[in-house]
Amino acid sequence: MQLQSFVYDGVWFDGPYSKESVLATKNFQGLSDDIYVSTFPRSGTTWVQNILIGMLYGLDVLENNENFEMNKLTAYLEITLGEITGCDLANQMVRRPRLLKSHQPTNLAPQEIFSLKRKNVVVFRSPKDALLSFHEFYHKNTFIRDFASPTLGEFLDRSLAGQVLNGSWWLWAKPWLDFCRANPDTNLMIHYEDLKEDFAKEIRRLESFLNLSPMTSETIDRLQALTSVESMRERLDTEKNYKGMGVVNKGEANRWKTEFPPEYVEKFDALTRETFGDDDIVAKFI
Ligand code: A3P
């Protein structure tokens, strides 16, 4: 397992990743009914993965915490777990359709998403909240880095320079946004903040995107309860690869408003405006 930071095709990596697993992810060849979940880290990936597990495989899978194993239900393609890579885990998955997760920017994401137009759910979150959350994750998970515990300011500077795991949020978000908009039949954009605000509405969007029969509103309520912050924390606390990592943290939107140093609000918003210009999407990200 490679624990030293490295840069691959312009993208920064810290933690349990290797150039081999990054390349394997890029070249991954899946099945025609696979469903990808593409996100920048700390954007609500695990939440959406749990929601999709419930929608595709049944709520009883979420009710059975004892046998719940994330990588068997939704493989994380580019991770290296000892000798095994996420792509190997994907190839061992038995349920169909498979749910495959990747945090890669478009240049390193499985290229078949683009060439074969795989179904792809892309989760976006305000970069200020995602990077605030990522800073806490770096502190909690010392395995992820080979540099000293960064202060929030140091970490946000690194984020602006693209020197955190998976590189620059802005270089991740802009190409994904453009691709999603150009290919709406095979790509669905979900915003973390929208899911927080109106869970049922986003579930209806997912149902229609995935051609699933509509759930009753009672079932949606049950899904919401099973994927609440509290339920997910409990579930992942007993999951062998997730326990103790703090993947489920506070689960709030707009925490940056009270926790982000004002000078970084300015720096983040300036880069967001520079990246997206006068696009309406800017309002979601600042
Ligand atoms: P915070 O650290 O801001 O609380 P990812 O899964 O992409 O790593 O995202 C992690 C972020 O999603 C964390 O954000 C985490 O708390 C939040 N999250 C996880 N489960 C959630 C849920 N059920 N509802 C809302 N937010 C959730």
Side-chain angles (χ1 to χ4, degrees):
M1 191 187 296
Q2 177 160 354
L3 282 178
Q4 279 187 330
S5 302
F6 64 95
V7 175
Y8 190 99
D9 200 9
V11 181
W12 187 279
F13 288 91
D14 292 321
Y17 306 86
S18 65
K19 290 181 182 170
E20 292 73 26
S21 69
V22 169
L23 188 61
T25 299
K26 180 174 178 171
N27 295 330
F28 184 76
Q29 294 189 337
L31 304 171
S32 59
D33 61 348
D34 285 343
I35 298 165
Y36 283 94
V37 178
S38 303
T39 71
F40 191 81
R42 310 307 290 162
S43 299
T45 324
T46 321
W47 188 16
V48 171
Q49 286 175 286
N50 274 246
I51 290 168
L52 289 171
I53 287 167
M55 292 177 76
L56 293 166
Y57 309 144
L59 299 192
D60 52 325
V61 178
L62 296 175
E63 267 152 10
N64 183 358
N65 283 356
E66 219 169 287
N67 297 319
F68 189 86
E69 220 181 301
M70 280 289 281
N71 272 314
K72 288 197 172 157
L73 295 160
T74 158
Y76 179 9
L77 291 178
E78 61 266 22
I79 195 129
T80 303
L81 295 168
E83 293 302 305
I84 200 158
T85 67
C87 293
D88 298 330
L89 292 168
N91 289 325
Q92 293 167 9
M93 287 166 78
V94 288
R95 291 176 195 266
R96 300 287 182 271
R98 298 185 304 188
L99 274 170
L100 307 173
K101 158 193 159 181
S102 167
H103 285 316
Q104 302 294 51
T106 52
N107 59 320
L108 293 179
Q111 296 301 295
E112 64 165 29
I113 294 178
F114 313 105
S115 57
L116 299 177
K117 304 278 168 71
R118 297 292 196 219
K119 283 257 179 191
N120 184 32
V121 176
V122 185
V123 185
F124 290 88
R125 187 183 193 187
S126 143
K128 286 174 290 201
D129 275 343
L131 272 311
L132 184 64
S133 171
F134 214 1
H135 175 245
E136 290 160 349
F137 194 70
Y138 261 67
H139 269 261
K140 183 131 200 176
N141 296 286
T142 47
F143 68 81
I144 209 171
R145 56 185 158 74
D146 66 352
F147 52 91
S149 292
T151 63
L152 180 57
E154 282 163 355
F155 187 80
L156 297 180
D157 280 331
R158 292 183 78 104
S159 306
L160 289 159
Q163 291 178 355
V164 295
L165 173 57
N166 295 106
S168 155
W169 179 88
W170 296 268
L171 292 180
W172 178 90
K174 177 73 166 82
W176 273 122
L177 177 78
D178 292 344
F179 179 68
C180 287
R181 283 179 170 165
N183 298 276
D185 293 347
T186 49
N187 294 273
L188 184 73
M189 291 197 277
I190 295 277
H191 290 274
Y192 177 94
E193 293 78 10
D194 293 345
L195 205 48
K196 287 287 297 179
E197 194 172 303
D198 192 340
F199 184 84
K201 185 174 169 197
E202 298 309 302
I203 297 306
R204 294 294 183 214
R205 291 181 67 233
L206 279 165
E207 278 176 346
S208 128
F209 175 67
L210 298 172
N211 299 318
L212 300 173
S213 314
M215 290 185 269
T216 63
S217 49
E218 289 74 24
T219 309
I220 294 183
D221 288 347
R222 185 81 196 114
L223 178 64
Q224 186 165 19
L226 284 165
T227 60
S228 68
V229 172
E230 296 71 29
S231 301
M232 279 187 42
R233 189 176 291 130
E234 208 175 295
R235 184 172 309 120
L236 295 186
D237 272 354
T238 55
E239 209 281 2
K240 65 175 182 183
N241 288 311
Y242 278 71
K243 68 178 160 206
M245 291 178 66
V247 168
V248 182
N249 187 23
K250 298 191 177 151
E252 295 161 16
N254 295 317
R255 196 151 52 88
W256 65 268
K257 286 188 179 172
T258 51
E259 299 190 30
F260 231 64
E263 68 268 30
Y264 285 98
V265 173
E266 269 175 43
K267 287 182 187 176
F268 268 56
D269 290 355
L271 187 51
T272 299
R273 288 199 179 90
E274 189 188 311
T275 304
F276 297 99
D278 59 6
D279 193 311
D280 289 346
I281 200 86
V282 168
K284 288 261 187 215
F285 298 147
I286 61 170

